[in-house]
Amino acid sequence: MKKVFSLIATAALTASMLVGCSSGSTATATAATSTAAAAASTAATTATNSDLADKKVGVCIYQFSDNFMTLFRNELKSYLVSQGFTESNIEIVDGANDQATQTNQIQNFITEGVDVMIVNPVNSSSAATITDMVTEAGIPLVYINREPDADEESRWKTDNMSVCYVGADAKQSGTFQGEIIADLGLDAIDMNKNGKIDYVMIEGDPENIDAQYRTEYSVKALTDAGFEVNCLDDQVGNWQQEQAATLVANSLTQYGNDVEVVFCNNDAMALGALQSITSAGRTVGKDIYLVGVDALSDALEDVIAGTMTGTVFNDHIAQSHSAADAAINFVEGKTNDYYIGCDYVKVTKDNAQSVLDSVK
Ligand code: BGC
């Protein structure tokens, strides 16, 4: 587990990088608002709490095969144990990307009488149903990674529910992707000299707010910076490497050298895109640019090597720790803010090694 060391190491990246999650204005849970505070508060809570040893936590993950959620769930489990939960009392289940399967798993956790649930919904649109099931059983609930919509979140407050969301603002990750490209300057990017940035977009699951906002805000950052853009192709790769590899191979066959930038909503898909870029005889940094999100170790290695232009660190460490802290607060009868947000970090060749060191 990386916990304290990782946060401190990440804190050392640069002064401008805020890492950690913070509650909103009426902070009652994780009030870490700076790297230093995040590191200090994590250090302060490292002592295990014996009262948690007999508490049960049910964790629902939308799909175990997702690379990012695998990092997230492994870190979540280690951190829960470090905080005092017994390993056998932490049950983590695979929703297999099927809402009906996940809903059954939630029902089983209710029957088992878990003390708290942490849920990464298969479909965010099922959140209202999930919230009703879990809260009617008197069990507090922490949503992670896939944010329910504004109507759903606002009723947690109105109805005074023990429910909260821990995650990052997808708009920020999209903006960072666009800025990484914008910072290269039009001369470097516009290789076909049509005065525009010609790009291909590979989207995650379309129901997911992360996919929607990353798609929108990466392009918005370019137009905000004054560039003209031209979308050559926009396809759904469902967060998966193989699907993205096929889609990008097709785009490169169809549009050839006109493809100047490939935006992928996550790194798994960027790694797939890179396979096809290489197979097509193209070279990232020379005749094409490629960005992802997550900062998976493989992607960071590529950024360091120059075979990926950049990525955005989706801080699974801060997010999983904050989700666990929120769950512990609920178990201890305390409240949480309804929204606990974490910062993304822009990653280019300049800081990729530091980020890699911090997640290792
Ligand atoms: C990550 C993706 C992941 C998705 C799962 C996103 O925040 O960037 O890699 O597949 O969450 O919901």
Side-chain angles (χ1 to χ4, degrees):
M1 195 191 37
K2 289 99 193 171
K3 56 183 175 92
V4 180
F5 169 76
S6 167
L7 273 171
I8 292 169
T10 308
L13 290 179
T14 78
S16 65
M17 288 176 186
L18 284 181
V19 177
C21 304
S22 56
S23 299
S25 50
T26 55
T28 50
T30 45
T33 52
S34 71
T35 46
S41 82
T42 306
T45 57
T46 320
T48 56
N49 178 347
S50 57
D51 294 344
L52 297 174
D54 63 348
K55 300 294 186 215
K56 289 189 175 167
V57 51
V59 182
C60 294
I61 300 294
Y62 94 94
Q63 173 157 251
F64 274 13
S65 63
D66 184 292
N67 309 36
F68 174 75
M69 290 313 303
T70 300
L71 292 174
F72 195 120
R73 78 184 141 94
N74 290 340
E75 187 61 30
L76 177 65
K77 186 170 183 188
S78 310
Y79 185 75
L80 284 167
V81 171
S82 79
Q83 296 305 294
F85 285 92
T86 309
E87 205 162 329
S88 56
N89 285 339
I90 304 167
E91 206 180 331
I92 307 184
V93 292
D94 181 3
N97 204 20
D98 180 60
Q99 189 57 59
T101 300
Q102 185 175 69
T103 304
N104 272 332
Q105 292 167 334
I106 291 170
Q107 192 55 58
N108 290 340
F109 281 147
I110 291 172
T111 311
E112 279 174 38
V114 297
D115 295 284
V116 61
M117 267 190 236
I118 298 176
V119 175
N120 167 215
V122 173
N123 298 327
S124 310
S125 56
S126 297
T129 314
I130 296 172
T131 302
D132 285 341
M133 282 170 68
V134 177
T135 57
E136 277 163 24
I139 299 169
L141 171 62
V142 178
Y143 282 107
I144 52 168
N145 175 257
R146 295 183 158 189
E147 190 175 356
D149 66 21
D151 285 349
E152 169 61 12
E153 283 186 11
S154 69
R155 88 185 170 115
W156 304 341
K157 187 172 186 179
T158 318
D159 297 349
N160 198 20
M161 292 170 153
S162 293
V163 181
C164 67
Y165 172 73
V166 178
D169 174 12
K171 294 176 191 163
Q172 186 187 42
S173 53
T175 302
F176 284 169
Q177 285 189 295
E179 287 175 357
I180 290 169
I181 297 301
D183 284 349
L184 301 168
L186 188 64
D187 278 353
I189 312 164
D190 185 23
M191 285 163 285
N192 65 6
K193 301 293 168 209
N194 67 351
K196 297 175 188 169
I197 298 179
D198 300 282
Y199 70 92
V200 168
M201 180 68 67
I202 306 296
E203 299 192 29
D205 165 11
E207 214 238 23
N208 191 314
I209 196 88
D210 284 3
Q212 294 163 21
Y213 279 144
R214 287 175 192 166
T215 299
E216 182 184 345
Y217 279 76
S218 52
V219 176
K220 186 174 181 299
L222 293 178
T223 52
D224 284 354
F227 296 110
E228 259 194 83
V229 294
N230 179 32
C231 178
L232 294 170
D233 210 357
D234 187 333
Q235 300 287 340
V236 171
N238 288 310
W239 305 117
Q240 290 176 22
Q241 181 163 348
E242 298 74 25
Q243 290 190 30
T246 307
L247 295 169
V248 172
N250 292 343
S251 302
L252 291 172
T253 304
Q254 194 171 351
Y255 301 103
N257 290 339
D258 279 336
V259 182
E260 294 164 341
V261 177
V262 179
F263 283 108
C264 295
N265 283 174
N266 75 350
D267 279 349
M269 298 193 294
L271 292 167
L274 179 56
Q275 292 171 310
S276 301
I277 287 170
T278 309
S279 304
R282 306 281 296 273
T283 309
V284 172
K286 195 171 145 242
D287 56 27
I288 195 164
Y289 297 96
L290 172 65
V291 278
V293 175
D294 282 341
L296 298 181
S297 295
D298 285 354
L300 289 169
E301 301 278 12
D302 280 315
V303 175
I304 292 164
T307 40
M308 251 174 83
T309 313
T311 183
V312 179
F313 180 34
N314 192 1
D315 192 342
H316 62 279
I317 300 170
Q319 290 175 59
S320 58
H321 293 197
S322 290
D325 288 342
I328 292 167
N329 278 336
F330 279 144
V331 167
E332 291 177 339
K334 298 178 197 151
T335 57
N336 286 296
D337 264 9
Y338 295 99
Y339 180 91
I340 299 168
C342 306
D343 273 308
Y344 284 102
V345 178
K346 197 189 286 187
V347 184
T348 62
K349 213 168 186 166
D350 294 343
N351 61 345
Q353 187 63 55
S354 322
V355 176
L356 185 58
D357 292 343
S358 78
V359 297
K360 260 183 183 160

